[in-house]
Amino acid sequence: MASTTFSGPVTSTNGFIGALTGNVTGNIAGSGSITHTPTAINATATATAAQVATGYITSTSVGTVTITLPTGTLLGAALGAAQGTIFDLYVDNTAGASVVTVAVATNGILSSGAADTPGSFGDLTIAAGVTGLARFTLMFSSATAYVFTRTA
């Protein structure tokens, strides 16, 4: 298949094959890299669906922070989710000075892997400093409910 380069927005009247969803900006390179536009949460709060939909949350707080995810209904609507939708959320605490913890809300449940092995898949805390990066995967079982697992 030939390679085509575009400059500027790309639209289609008949849809695209292999759609990307969410708020993704930057370059999608041949290597598969995607640059997210981060959103900052620096105090304990419930994240909005729009904040989570960016796919990348940062925290630079000097104090402990707990980020509660939005309900499955709100997040599903923001992502246009349906059964089978898979969404990755990155939390970056490399510039923070204290631990960040992620919590799920109504219609968000920990996967059996997360519940069975809390030290790995169920580790919902992100250390501060150079190791303070985490990836979580949300798998929607319906448009309004998701299963949550730490995947990195």
Side-chain angles (χ1 to χ4, degrees):
M1 174 178 259
S3 175
T4 304
T5 302
F6 295 93
S7 176
V10 177
T11 60
S12 172
T13 57
N14 295 320
F16 293 97
I17 297 173
L20 292 174
T21 61
N23 296 323
V24 179
T25 60
N27 297 319
I28 300 175
S31 64
S33 64
I34 297 175
T35 303
H36 294 271
T37 301
T39 187
I41 299 177
N42 294 312
T44 294
T46 297
T48 67
Q51 288 173 316
V52 174
T54 67
Y56 197 91
I57 295 173
T58 62
S59 183
T60 59
S61 178
V62 296
T64 302
V65 171
T66 297
I67 300 169
T68 302
L69 298 179
T71 66
T73 300
L74 293 173
L75 191 54
L79 296 173
Q83 181 180 11
T85 298
I86 299 171
F87 179 78
D88 285 331
L89 171 64
Y90 298 86
V91 179
D92 182 344
N93 192 30
T94 56
S98 193
V99 170
V100 171
T101 301
V102 178
V104 295
T106 304
N107 293 340
I109 60 170
L110 294 178
S111 69
S112 62
D116 294 344
T117 53
S120 55
F121 299 115
D123 187 2
L124 303 181
T125 60
I126 301 103
V130 295
T131 61
L133 292 169
R135 179 183 66 209
F136 299 94
T137 298
L138 292 80
M139 299 170 284
F140 283 80
S141 56
S142 72
T144 61
Y146 61 86
V147 175
F148 188 75
T149 304
R150 183 171 183 157
T151 50

